[in-house]
Amino acid sequence: MKLFSWLARFLTFFILLVLALNNQQVVSIHGLGQASWSVSMSWLLLGTLAIGIGIGAVAMTPTLLRQRRALRSAQRSAVPAPASSSADDELGI
């Protein structure tokens, strides 16, 4: 299983490397008014990915916090399990 995991990682890295090397063209991004920005396509794609990951993490935060709060509340209100006796007590030793 570890071999498969490492092969998948290597394949992903290799594909991303090839895509980055093949997308070296300079693109222009035109903003509001006269604002214009020229950047390599690979950096633009990397920046877009980073922004998407950041937005996803921020969007996930409220749900994660709500679930943690519910779990903590459930653990506090749970009835504690009776203390288990040792194996010696069960055997009557």
Side-chain angles (χ1 to χ4, degrees):
M1 191 66 179
K2 281 188 175 185
L3 178 65
F4 177 73
S5 174
W6 279 105
L7 285 174
R9 289 176 187 175
F10 176 75
L11 183 63
T12 302
F13 173 77
F14 184 73
I15 289 172
L16 291 175
L17 180 66
V18 169
L19 286 174
L21 292 175
N22 286 333
N23 288 309
Q24 291 297 319
Q25 304 91 317
V26 175
V27 294
S28 295
I29 301 170
H30 300 285
L32 298 173
Q34 299 296 324
S36 179
W37 186 42
S38 295
V39 67
S40 171
M41 177 69 83
S42 58
W43 285 109
L44 177 67
L45 292 174
L46 181 64
T48 304
L49 176 67
I51 290 171
I53 289 171
I55 290 172
V58 169
M60 184 181 64
T61 300
T63 303
L64 181 65
L65 292 175
R66 192 177 319 116
Q67 288 176 348
R68 283 186 180 180
R69 221 177 301 126
L71 179 62
R72 219 177 289 129
S73 173
Q75 286 175 343
R76 285 183 191 145
S77 65
V79 177
S84 63
S85 58
S86 66
D88 292 338
D89 291 340
E90 290 177 10
L91 295 174
I93 298 174

